[in-house]
Amino acid sequence: MRRVSFIGNHLKNLTYLVIMGLVISLLQGPLFVSASNVQPKTVKIGYYENEIFQEGASEDAIKSGYAYEYYMKLSEYTGWRYEYVYGSFNELYQMLLDGDIDMLAGLAYKEERADLIGYPDMAMGTESYNLVKYESNHEITSDVETLAGHSIGVLDSAMADALDEYLDKYNVDADVVRYEYTDELTEDFEAGVVDVLAVEGEGTNKRSGYEVLLTFGMTDYYICVSNSRGDLLKELNDAQTDLFNDEPYYTSSLSSKYHGSSVSAQALSSVERAWLENNDSLTVGYLNNYLPYSSTDVYGNVTGVIRELMPAIFNAIDVNNISVSYVGYDTYEDMMTAINNEEIDVAFPVGGGIYHSEQNGIYQTEPIVSISTELVFDNVVVNPSAATFAVNSSNSMRYYYIKTYYPEAEIVYYDNIEQCLEAVMKHEVDCTTLNGLRAGEILKNYKYNRLSVRQLSEKDGRCLGVLIGNDGLLRLLNRGINILTEDYSESIAYKYTNDLYNYSFIDWLDDYLVGVLVIIVLIVVVSVIILHIRTIRKNRVILALRNSNKNQLVLIENIARNIKEPITEIHNLSSTASQVMDDEKLVSDSLKKIADDSEGIQTTADKIIDASILDKGKLILNKGKVNVAAFAKNIEGYIQPRADAKGINYSVKTKKIKTKDIMVDRERLMQAIMAVIDNSLKFTGAGGTIKVTVEEQPCSNMSMARMVFTIKDDGIGMSDEFKDIAFDAFTKEENALDANLTGVGLGLTITKKLVELMGGYITLMSKKNLGTEVTITLDCKISYN
């Protein structure tokens, strides 16, 4: 008792001290300062016109360009607001020295400037310097000595100094004319005042008739700060460091965004123009039976990616006078023979590594698409190097891939991929391989449902092949491919995968039989219950039936309502058909109700089917490259209209994201997350809050990224009893928020099984009337660009 009294006295004294502290604080001033009272810092930034780099250098002009986007990205980390000061580069540079502006972008590092202005630790980008002429000027070539005696126009900047150094290096006496404004420089070049134009490779817009002669320099460039604003330099360094940690490929992706519209991307070289002058047609050989890449359709015409790819490549580089024809080949060897005999100019697809292409006498272009290779097996293959592979004899790319990465493996040839897969199922071989774009669709076929897949670490690009020595055509194709980017080929590839999957009646039974049987059983149960209610009036029996079948009855009632009400509406609509002309609103309202109810039926049926497929373990994941930032935006786009309609406050935030792209089944991951968000929307009232966080956490496997998706709400929550069965099928808790809300109790069940199928796990925390927090943790393979 004495000890309790001692502690009680100390607690009283501590309480008095806290109260006195609060009183003193209140007397001295406000206890809290609202974050809204903190004013953002205004930064005066020099803004000069420089085409792709930054455009809109005047009041009320729409601003765009590489530098402008970079400014706005930095603002996300610093909170800066910009005051734009316009002028020429030289005018703005002098204002930076005088302290009249705070920052200026696009400055190369020079030792003589280092004491005059503040350079940050990291560059904002890297730029090449090119010399450009008109293709009609035949006096000047890519030989630097032909510049002698000609005039070269250049912007008065670090690029001009680099040009002087380059000409001095090769002892070329050319007339270098420096300009203060980009517009004046370009106008003089187009008017013939100067013979050659010096440009930034990705900072100058493409123009017809330009030809890139050579690259005379390359430099990093910076956002520099006035020496009078040391505070900004520290904030700039911190922001650039954080940006690099969060998005290490940001500047590369920003550069790629503007590359396609730059002069360096589309100004053809002399070698490329020579090829175009000597050729007006192109014959493309392609491999049959290799969708989505290439094949011949039932009408004898080319189909697949190649059909759309070739026109797109030439359109991208503004070449419209090339006639393209196609020839299909049943084997890879036949296609290689044809290109070496010059029967075709281009072969597609080629792959399996550069060495094997060299042995076949061809160059490989840049990859049209770099996709994973899937190992297909029945019994687990631990060490592919010691395995026996089935290889399609008509597709040597599979052979090349295996010999490159698993040279000790044994290879057995079969006539086609179907025989390869059958050999795996018969255990004649240990495994085979499939290209990633083909595997998902081929293995959907019911006869292959025993087979499993795992992704091999080495990717295998699919390229165009050009005969060694035909470098002009090679450069043209590579130029177009780089402008299109791999995303183009991946997006059109999915249009041609349907033919790989022959959906049979057996597949339909496998997909839907369980769901159909469940519905039949539920109808039978309903009939039995109705019969008992009519024939047996004993309350004890009725109560026992209701208690024992509580979850099933909830599902039955929802399905019955979803089926009955649309049918009733259709009947009513038919009986009032004669009134259509007089009462169009009645028809419109009825049709809307039918559509809404039909959607409910479809959603319920989809959940039952998904649950049955997951329960049997037959679901095949279709992994693909997913951009984490874009995925988070998609989540926000999904939740926004529904949350706004209910008056719910919401946020979707990313946290510590270092990995740009991951390999995951986008559709199934989105389905799992959306099911959780749907529950939060259902059980959170107006004025409530839903927070979604996408966070990357450390992962012990360097090739994997641990992604954590957290959905937290302050809704009605769950009881402790219900939390234990929340992931069980057909479980629902009484909803005090809205008695009219319906559902079958499968959302969280499907989410848990999908997450576990993807190799992750899900946790749930909830308190009655205080809200719910669901966390999905998933280790995903990193997709390197």
Side-chain angles (χ1 to χ4, degrees):
M1 293 297 291
R2 185 177 302 170
R3 179 177 177 83
V4 172
S5 176
F6 176 79
I7 294 173
N9 289 335
H10 273 274
L11 288 174
K12 289 180 181 179
N13 293 335
L14 180 61
T15 301
Y16 293 149
L17 288 174
V18 171
I19 293 173
M20 290 176 64
L22 289 173
V23 171
I24 292 171
S25 299
L26 289 171
L27 290 173
Q28 288 180 341
L31 185 59
F32 301 106
V33 178
S34 171
S36 62
N37 293 328
V38 179
Q39 296 299 318
K41 188 175 292 186
T42 298
V43 175
K44 290 184 177 180
I45 191 161
Y47 201 95
Y48 55 94
E49 193 74 28
N50 193 16
E51 295 204 344
I52 294 173
F53 185 69
Q54 57 184 9
E55 300 182 85
S58 62
E59 291 294 342
D60 301 324
I62 296 176
K63 291 173 174 52
S64 62
Y66 181 102
Y68 178 70
E69 287 200 36
Y70 195 81
Y71 302 152
M72 301 313 298
K73 193 67 178 179
L74 290 178
S75 180
E76 294 178 16
Y77 291 85
T78 61
W80 291 340
R81 291 184 181 275
Y82 297 111
E83 179 184 331
Y84 299 101
V85 180
Y86 306 107
S88 70
F89 177 84
N90 289 333
E91 290 171 345
L92 293 170
Y93 178 66
Q94 186 60 48
M95 293 176 71
L96 184 71
L97 296 178
D98 297 340
D100 295 331
I101 60 174
D102 302 320
M103 300 174 67
L104 183 65
L107 283 83
Y109 181 82
K110 291 186 177 181
E111 290 187 7
E112 58 267 27
R113 289 177 175 170
D115 294 330
L116 303 176
I117 55 177
Y119 281 92
D121 297 333
M122 299 176 67
M124 69 180 292
T126 302
E127 188 64 87
S128 63
Y129 299 146
N130 297 330
L131 292 181
V132 173
K133 68 159 189 171
Y134 272 107
E135 60 187 58
S136 57
N137 185 341
H138 300 295
E139 296 180 6
I140 303 173
T141 69
S142 57
D143 184 354
V144 64
E145 293 182 358
T146 61
L147 296 171
H150 292 280
S151 57
I152 304 174
V154 61
L155 194 67
D156 189 10
S157 62
M159 181 166 52
D161 298 335
L163 178 60
D164 288 339
E165 293 177 6
Y166 182 80
L167 295 174
D168 290 343
K169 177 181 177 181
Y170 290 97
N171 296 317
V172 174
D173 184 16
D175 180 19
V176 176
V177 183
R178 297 190 177 213
Y179 287 81
E180 190 170 356
Y181 293 97
T182 303
D183 291 344
E184 183 182 354
L185 166 62
T186 305
E187 289 172 4
D188 277 5
F189 175 64
E190 292 177 347
V193 176
V194 291
D195 303 315
V196 178
L197 177 66
V199 299
E200 295 167 341
E202 294 183 7
T204 306
N205 284 321
K206 62 183 180 183
R207 289 176 174 84
S208 60
Y210 279 20
E211 179 182 327
V212 174
L213 293 172
L214 50 84
T215 299
F216 64 86
M218 181 174 290
T219 185
D220 291 337
Y221 54 91
Y222 298 80
I223 295 182
C224 292
V225 181
S226 169
N227 278 342
S228 63
R229 295 303 304 270
D231 58 322
L232 292 184
L233 183 60
K234 181 181 184 308
E235 292 179 29
L236 176 60
N237 276 324
D238 291 343
Q240 288 184 316
T241 301
D242 290 343
L243 173 58
F244 180 80
N245 291 334
D246 291 345
E247 302 182 48
Y249 304 107
Y250 175 76
T251 54
S252 296
S253 62
L254 192 59
S255 178
S256 297
K257 176 179 179 179
Y258 289 99
H259 172 78
S261 58
S262 68
V263 65
S264 62
Q266 298 200 351
L268 305 183
S269 66
S270 58
V271 175
E272 292 167 289
R273 294 199 176 279
W275 188 93
L276 291 172
E277 289 172 3
N278 296 317
N279 296 272
D280 59 5
S281 64
L282 190 73
T283 303
V284 178
Y286 62 88
L287 192 61
N288 278 324
N289 303 314
Y290 199 60
L291 289 175
Y293 299 103
S294 59
S295 192
T296 302
D297 64 20
V298 294
Y299 304 104
N301 300 318
V302 63
T303 187
V305 170
I306 188 63
R307 185 178 72 173
E308 300 184 41
L309 178 65
M310 295 308 299
I313 287 176
F314 286 111
N315 285 337
I317 57 177
D318 289 334
V319 173
N320 303 310
N321 60 342
I322 299 296
S323 172
V324 181
S325 58
Y326 300 89
V327 181
Y329 295 90
D330 291 332
T331 70
Y332 193 84
E333 285 75 11
D334 289 346
M335 186 167 66
M336 291 298 101
T337 300
I339 195 169
N340 279 279
N341 291 339
E342 299 187 18
E343 298 169 10
I344 58 175
D345 304 299
V346 177
F348 179 79
V350 299
I354 297 175
Y355 171 77
H356 295 289
S357 290
E358 180 198 10
Q359 298 303 301
N360 283 317
I362 61 171
Y363 296 126
Q364 284 188 8
T365 64
E366 295 295 322
I368 301 301
V369 60
S370 294
I371 203 69
S372 62
T373 294
E374 304 289 344
L375 186 72
V376 184
F377 54 88
D378 189 7
N379 296 327
V380 175
V381 177
V382 177
N383 181 14
S385 295
T388 302
F389 283 79
V391 170
N392 179 3
S393 59
S394 65
N395 183 356
S396 298
M397 290 181 289
R398 296 289 91 209
Y399 168 81
Y400 298 151
Y401 179 88
I402 295 166
K403 295 307 292 182
T404 299
Y405 297 108
Y406 309 107
E408 303 301 321
E410 181 182 351
I411 292 176
V412 180
Y413 289 102
Y414 293 88
D415 290 340
N416 51 55
I417 190 60
E418 290 78 12
Q419 290 184 11
C420 291
L421 295 171
E422 290 172 4
V424 175
M425 290 191 293
K426 293 177 181 177
H427 298 167
E428 296 175 3
V429 295
D430 298 319
C431 55
T432 188
T433 60
L434 279 172
N435 181 271
L437 282 178
R438 291 163 48 82
E441 293 299 317
I442 291 176
L443 296 180
K444 280 184 181 179
N445 292 284
Y446 179 78
K447 59 184 177 181
Y448 304 132
N449 66 345
R450 279 174 38 200
L451 299 179
S452 302
V453 297
R454 72 178 173 92
Q455 195 174 95
L456 296 174
S457 56
E458 296 83 7
K459 289 189 174 184
D460 189 13
R462 290 292 173 262
C463 312
L464 295 168
V466 176
L467 192 65
I468 290 178
N470 198 352
D471 52 333
L473 177 57
L474 178 70
R475 293 190 194 181
L476 283 169
L477 296 176
N478 275 334
R479 186 179 297 277
I481 291 167
N482 287 329
I483 293 173
L484 292 175
T485 75
E486 285 190 25
D487 290 340
Y488 171 82
S489 298
E490 283 191 34
S491 63
I492 63 175
Y494 292 106
K495 293 167 55 176
Y496 298 100
T497 58
N498 291 336
D499 291 340
L500 297 175
Y501 177 31
N502 299 316
Y503 195 75
S504 64
F505 178 70
I506 296 177
D507 291 316
W508 185 90
L509 286 177
D510 186 57
D511 288 342
Y512 299 112
L513 182 59
V514 173
V516 172
L517 290 177
V518 167
I519 293 174
I520 292 173
V521 169
L522 291 173
I523 293 173
V524 171
V525 171
V526 171
S527 302
V528 170
I529 292 173
I530 294 173
L531 180 61
H532 275 275
I533 292 174
R534 289 180 177 177
T535 58
I536 303 173
R537 299 298 183 180
K538 295 181 181 180
N539 291 334
R540 288 185 302 169
V541 175
I542 296 172
L543 181 60
L545 285 171
R546 286 177 176 170
N547 289 336
S548 65
N549 295 287
K550 182 178 179 181
N551 291 326
Q552 290 88 337
L553 282 172
V554 172
L555 179 59
I556 294 165
E557 288 167 0
N558 286 331
I559 294 176
R561 188 186 314 112
N562 285 333
I563 295 172
K564 179 180 177 180
E565 290 180 3
I567 294 174
T568 302
E569 292 292 340
I570 292 171
H571 176 74
N572 292 338
L573 185 60
S574 299
S575 65
T576 57
S578 61
Q579 302 176 16
V580 169
M581 298 301 295
D582 298 326
D583 195 356
E584 292 181 356
K585 185 177 184 305
L586 173 62
V587 176
S588 176
D589 291 345
S590 297
L591 290 175
K592 183 179 184 303
K593 185 65 167 62
I594 292 169
D596 292 343
D597 290 334
S598 298
E599 184 178 352
I601 296 170
Q602 184 62 47
T603 301
T604 301
D606 286 345
K607 286 187 177 180
I608 293 172
I609 291 166
D610 278 350
S612 65
I613 293 174
L614 282 165
D615 192 55
K616 294 194 308 179
K618 296 296 179 67
L619 184 66
I620 297 176
L621 297 176
N622 293 320
K623 292 185 179 180
K625 182 171 71 174
V626 174
N627 181 277
V628 177
F631 188 81
K633 286 289 185 184
N634 289 342
I635 295 174
E636 183 176 8
Y638 174 87
I639 190 176
Q640 178 179 353
R642 298 182 59 191
D644 290 345
K646 289 192 66 176
I648 295 174
N649 301 312
Y650 70 93
S651 63
V652 180
K653 295 183 178 179
T654 56
K655 185 177 180 182
K656 301 178 182 178
I657 301 299
K658 298 182 180 180
T659 301
K660 179 184 178 184
D661 298 316
I662 57 176
M663 296 298 296
V664 71
D665 188 326
R666 181 199 302 269
E667 179 181 353
R668 293 302 182 180
L669 178 57
M670 184 66 75
Q671 179 184 359
I673 295 172
M674 290 306 105
V676 179
I677 293 176
D678 280 342
N679 276 356
S680 291
L681 288 166
K682 282 183 182 180
F683 301 113
T684 302
T689 300
I690 298 175
K691 296 180 179 179
V692 180
T693 304
V694 181
E695 179 182 4
E696 182 172 351
Q697 294 183 354
C699 183
S700 58
N701 189 336
M702 297 298 291
S703 67
M704 307 289 284
R706 177 160 295 171
M707 308 306 300
V708 181
F709 305 87
T710 304
I711 300 93
K712 184 177 182 181
D713 64 65
D714 58 1
I716 65 173
M718 304 177 186
S719 64
D720 291 338
E721 296 79 8
F722 184 74
K723 276 193 303 183
D724 296 333
I725 60 171
F727 292 107
D728 292 347
F730 306 124
T731 55
K732 294 178 61 181
E733 190 173 28
E734 291 295 330
N735 173 24
L737 185 65
D738 186 354
N740 294 320
L741 283 177
T742 61
V744 296
L746 285 174
L748 287 179
T749 306
I750 293 173
T751 293
K752 184 173 186 292
K753 291 188 176 183
L754 282 174
V755 171
E756 290 174 349
L757 180 63
M758 290 186 281
Y761 59 92
I762 184 170
T763 59
L764 180 147
M765 294 187 296
S766 186
K767 198 72 175 176
K768 196 71 173 178
N769 298 323
L770 293 179
T772 301
E773 179 175 332
V774 177
T775 302
I776 295 172
T777 303
L778 194 63
D779 288 350
C780 308
K781 189 173 181 63
I782 298 173
S783 174
Y784 295 99
N785 291 330

